[in-house]
Amino acid sequence: MNARKVPQAGEAYDTVEIETDRGTTTCRYYEAEGARNGVVMVGGTGGGFDTPARELYSQLAQGLRNDRISALRVRYRHPADLVESTVDTVLGMRYLESQGVSAVGLVGHSLGGAVVIQAAASDPAVRVVVALSTQAAGTEPVAGLAGRAAILLVHGDFDTVVSYHSSEEVYRRAHEPKRLIIYEGTGHTLDEVAESLYVEVKAWLLKHLPGTLI
């Protein structure tokens, strides 16, 4: 893995390009100086730097810096491919680890919910998993995270893209610590509850990443 960091003038992040024999994975890196904890955030099949809930990811990435947590947003090479998207996410985790991060949180939306569960299963450094409006397919490894990763599942009961029953199914298979939040009257992107979601996700990350306080 070869990574190249490109500072962005006037922006809050650096662009990181991770080159492998599978292609180049592009990320946005929000570095917190001296951070030992890091969070990787991924979207769904929309591609690009997809984020739910009215720019939740950029807000989280910038807000977590105040808690000495670095963040990395990953752009998938093949947004509809679960396996390749998981590879991209794992590469992002490896990059954070190369920067001194020893404990990782993962946040994923829609397809990304399955992606982060798959990625968590591959690395014991993952302590927290947040799956937003997740699909059920591909989430089977969640049962194997018992005892090492805290699981937060969030869904809207008005989601017409992926039923909230998917998150309920994942919750049943997950082990403690775990939490399920179903928002009433809320759709797939969770825009209606953006402010509340920011508070819930950040609190869960701070509660379960080592050495952080809420």
Side-chain angles (χ1 to χ4, degrees), residues 77-111:
R77 289 169 295 112
H78 305 289
D81 189 315
L82 175 60
V83 172
E84 291 299 318
S85 297
T86 301
V87 169
D88 291 330
T89 304
V90 170
L91 288 171
M93 293 157 54
R94 296 285 181 268
Y95 179 78
L96 283 182
E97 290 166 8
S98 77
Q99 302 303 300
V101 166
S102 56
V104 177
L106 301 177
V107 184
H109 176 244
S110 195
L111 169 83

Side-chain angles (χ1 to χ4, degrees), residues 100-165:
V101 166
S102 56
V104 177
L106 301 177
V107 184
H109 176 244
S110 195
L111 169 83
V115 167
V116 295
I117 289 170
Q118 294 267 348
S122 74
D123 192 337
V126 177
R127 305 294 185 85
V128 190
V129 174
V130 179
L132 309 171
S133 305
T134 188
Q135 63 182 48
T139 62
E140 293 79 11
V142 74
L145 302 180
R148 69 172 179 86
I151 313 297
L152 173 64
L153 296 150
V154 184
H155 222 118
D157 70 353
F158 200 63
D159 188 338
T160 58
V161 179
V162 179
S163 170
Y164 69 92
H165 295 304

Side-chain angles (χ1 to χ4, degrees), residues 32-206:
E33 188 174 351
R36 303 295 293 171
N37 293 317
V39 174
V40 177
M41 292 175 275
V42 297
T45 57
F49 288 100
D50 193 19
T51 173
R54 304 188 187 280
E55 296 300 319
L56 171 67
Y57 289 170
S58 60
Q59 293 181 48
L60 270 178
Q62 295 175 69
L64 289 170
R65 276 177 163 160
N66 297 328
D67 298 286
R68 295 187 65 187
I69 299 172
S70 292
L72 193 76
R73 296 176 62 191
V74 175
R75 183 175 73 190
Y76 301 138
R77 289 169 295 112
H78 305 289
D81 189 315
L82 175 60
V83 172
E84 291 299 318
S85 297
T86 301
V87 169
D88 291 330
T89 304
V90 170
L91 288 171
M93 293 157 54
R94 296 285 181 268
Y95 179 78
L96 283 182
E97 290 166 8
S98 77
Q99 302 303 300
V101 166
S102 56
V104 177
L106 301 177
V107 184
H109 176 244
S110 195
L111 169 83
V115 167
V116 295
I117 289 170
Q118 294 267 348
S122 74
D123 192 337
V126 177
R127 305 294 185 85
V128 190
V129 174
V130 179
L132 309 171
S133 305
T134 188
Q135 63 182 48
T139 62
E140 293 79 11
V142 74
L145 302 180
R148 69 172 179 86
I151 313 297
L152 173 64
L153 296 150
V154 184
H155 222 118
D157 70 353
F158 200 63
D159 188 338
T160 58
V161 179
V162 179
S163 170
Y164 69 92
H165 295 304
S166 294
S167 285
E168 291 179 332
E169 178 182 334
V170 178
Y171 181 78
R172 283 193 295 271
R173 286 191 269 109
H175 296 274
E176 296 289 352
K178 62 180 180 177
R179 186 181 180 202
L180 172 64
I181 302 172
I182 304 293
Y183 283 109
E184 294 184 1
T186 301
H188 187 63
T189 61
L190 302 164
D191 288 347
E192 302 91 334
V193 293
E195 293 183 8
S196 173
L197 184 63
Y198 174 87
V199 171
E200 294 285 0
V201 172
K202 187 178 181 184
W204 191 258
L205 291 169
L206 293 181

